[in-house]
Short mmCIF file of all heavy atoms in Angstrom, two decimals:
data_model
loop_
_atom_site.label_atom_id
_atom_site.label_comp_id
_atom_site.label_asym_id
_atom_site.label_seq_id
_atom_site.Cartn_x
_atom_site.Cartn_y
_atom_site.Cartn_z
N ASP R 260 -22.33 31.31 -13.21
CA ASP R 260 -23.77 31.42 -13.00
C ASP R 260 -24.26 32.86 -12.86
O ASP R 260 -25.36 33.18 -13.32
CB ASP R 260 -24.18 30.64 -11.75
CG ASP R 260 -23.98 29.15 -11.90
OD1 ASP R 260 -23.81 28.69 -13.05
OD2 ASP R 260 -23.96 28.45 -10.87
N SER R 261 -23.46 33.71 -12.26
CA SER R 261 -23.93 35.07 -12.00
C SER R 261 -23.59 36.04 -13.13
O SER R 261 -23.95 37.21 -13.06
CB SER R 261 -23.31 35.58 -10.70
OG SER R 261 -21.90 35.66 -10.85
N LEU R 262 -22.93 35.57 -14.19
CA LEU R 262 -22.52 36.46 -15.28
C LEU R 262 -23.55 36.45 -16.40
O LEU R 262 -24.12 35.41 -16.74
CB LEU R 262 -21.17 36.03 -15.83
CG LEU R 262 -20.00 36.05 -14.85
CD1 LEU R 262 -18.74 35.56 -15.52
CD2 LEU R 262 -19.79 37.44 -14.27
N GLY R 263 -23.73 37.63 -16.99
CA GLY R 263 -24.60 37.75 -18.15
C GLY R 263 -23.84 37.40 -19.42
O GLY R 263 -22.63 37.17 -19.41
N ILE R 264 -24.56 37.40 -20.52
CA ILE R 264 -23.96 37.03 -21.81
C ILE R 264 -22.81 37.95 -22.18
O ILE R 264 -21.74 37.48 -22.60
CB ILE R 264 -25.05 37.01 -22.91
CG1 ILE R 264 -26.03 35.86 -22.63
CG2 ILE R 264 -24.42 36.86 -24.29
CD1 ILE R 264 -27.24 35.86 -23.53
N GLU R 265 -22.97 39.24 -22.04
CA GLU R 265 -21.90 40.17 -22.40
C GLU R 265 -20.68 39.99 -21.50
O GLU R 265 -19.55 40.10 -21.95
CB GLU R 265 -22.41 41.61 -22.38
CG GLU R 265 -23.40 41.92 -23.49
CD GLU R 265 -22.87 41.56 -24.87
OE1 GLU R 265 -21.71 41.89 -25.20
OE2 GLU R 265 -23.63 40.92 -25.63
N GLU R 266 -20.92 39.75 -20.23
CA GLU R 266 -19.80 39.51 -19.30
C GLU R 266 -19.07 38.22 -19.66
O GLU R 266 -17.84 38.16 -19.60
CB GLU R 266 -20.31 39.43 -17.86
CG GLU R 266 -20.82 40.75 -17.33
CD GLU R 266 -21.56 40.59 -16.02
OE1 GLU R 266 -22.44 39.71 -15.94
OE2 GLU R 266 -21.24 41.36 -15.09
N LEU R 267 -19.81 37.21 -20.07
CA LEU R 267 -19.19 35.96 -20.50
C LEU R 267 -18.36 36.17 -21.78
O LEU R 267 -17.26 35.63 -21.90
CB LEU R 267 -20.25 34.88 -20.73
CG LEU R 267 -20.93 34.36 -19.47
CD1 LEU R 267 -22.14 33.50 -19.83
CD2 LEU R 267 -19.96 33.57 -18.60
N ARG R 268 -18.89 36.96 -22.70
CA ARG R 268 -18.13 37.26 -23.93
C ARG R 268 -16.85 38.04 -23.60
O ARG R 268 -15.80 37.79 -24.18
CB ARG R 268 -18.99 38.02 -24.91
CG ARG R 268 -20.04 37.13 -25.54
CD ARG R 268 -20.79 37.82 -26.66
NE ARG R 268 -21.70 36.87 -27.28
CZ ARG R 268 -22.97 37.12 -27.55
NH1 ARG R 268 -23.49 38.29 -27.28
NH2 ARG R 268 -23.71 36.19 -28.11
N ALA R 269 -16.95 38.96 -22.66
CA ALA R 269 -15.77 39.72 -22.24
C ALA R 269 -14.74 38.79 -21.59
O ALA R 269 -13.54 38.91 -21.81
CB ALA R 269 -16.17 40.83 -21.28
N TYR R 270 -15.23 37.85 -20.80
CA TYR R 270 -14.35 36.88 -20.16
C TYR R 270 -13.65 36.02 -21.20
O TYR R 270 -12.45 35.77 -21.11
CB TYR R 270 -15.18 36.02 -19.20
CG TYR R 270 -14.39 34.99 -18.44
CD1 TYR R 270 -13.26 35.33 -17.70
CD2 TYR R 270 -14.79 33.65 -18.44
CE1 TYR R 270 -12.55 34.36 -17.00
CE2 TYR R 270 -14.09 32.69 -17.74
CZ TYR R 270 -12.96 33.05 -17.02
OH TYR R 270 -12.26 32.11 -16.33
N ILE R 271 -14.38 35.59 -22.22
CA ILE R 271 -13.77 34.82 -23.31
C ILE R 271 -12.68 35.66 -23.98
O ILE R 271 -11.60 35.15 -24.31
CB ILE R 271 -14.83 34.38 -24.34
CG1 ILE R 271 -15.71 33.28 -23.73
CG2 ILE R 271 -14.19 33.89 -25.63
CD1 ILE R 271 -16.92 32.91 -24.58
N GLY R 272 -12.95 36.94 -24.18
CA GLY R 272 -11.93 37.83 -24.77
C GLY R 272 -10.68 37.90 -23.91
O GLY R 272 -9.56 37.85 -24.43
N GLU R 273 -10.85 37.99 -22.61
CA GLU R 273 -9.70 38.02 -21.70
C GLU R 273 -8.92 36.71 -21.78
O GLU R 273 -7.68 36.72 -21.80
CB GLU R 273 -10.17 38.24 -20.26
CG GLU R 273 -10.75 39.61 -20.00
CD GLU R 273 -11.40 39.71 -18.63
OE1 GLU R 273 -11.10 38.88 -17.74
OE2 GLU R 273 -12.22 40.62 -18.44
N LEU R 274 -9.63 35.61 -21.82
CA LEU R 274 -8.96 34.30 -21.92
C LEU R 274 -8.22 34.18 -23.25
O LEU R 274 -7.08 33.68 -23.30
CB LEU R 274 -9.97 33.17 -21.76
CG LEU R 274 -10.61 33.03 -20.38
CD1 LEU R 274 -11.71 31.99 -20.41
CD2 LEU R 274 -9.57 32.69 -19.32
N ASN R 275 -8.84 34.63 -24.34
CA ASN R 275 -8.18 34.59 -25.64
C ASN R 275 -6.93 35.46 -25.65
O ASN R 275 -5.90 35.07 -26.24
CB ASN R 275 -9.14 35.02 -26.75
CG ASN R 275 -10.15 33.95 -27.08
OD1 ASN R 275 -9.90 32.77 -26.92
ND2 ASN R 275 -11.32 34.36 -27.54
N ASP R 276 -6.98 36.61 -25.00
CA ASP R 276 -5.80 37.47 -24.91
C ASP R 276 -4.68 36.76 -24.15
O ASP R 276 -3.51 36.84 -24.52
CB ASP R 276 -6.14 38.79 -24.20
CG ASP R 276 -7.02 39.70 -25.03
OD1 ASP R 276 -7.16 39.46 -26.25
OD2 ASP R 276 -7.58 40.65 -24.44
N GLU R 277 -5.03 36.07 -23.08
CA GLU R 277 -4.03 35.35 -22.30
C GLU R 277 -3.45 34.18 -23.10
O GLU R 277 -2.24 33.94 -23.07
CB GLU R 277 -4.65 34.85 -20.98
CG GLU R 277 -3.68 34.12 -20.09
CD GLU R 277 -2.53 34.97 -19.57
OE1 GLU R 277 -2.50 36.20 -19.80
OE2 GLU R 277 -1.64 34.41 -18.91
#
Side-chain angles (χ1 to χ4, degrees):
D260 294 344
S261 64
L262 299 178
I264 293 172
E265 291 307 314
E266 292 169 311
L267 290 169
R268 287 188 176 132
Y270 181 53
I271 289 172
E273 292 171 20
L274 293 173
N275 285 332
D276 290 346
E277 182 64 6

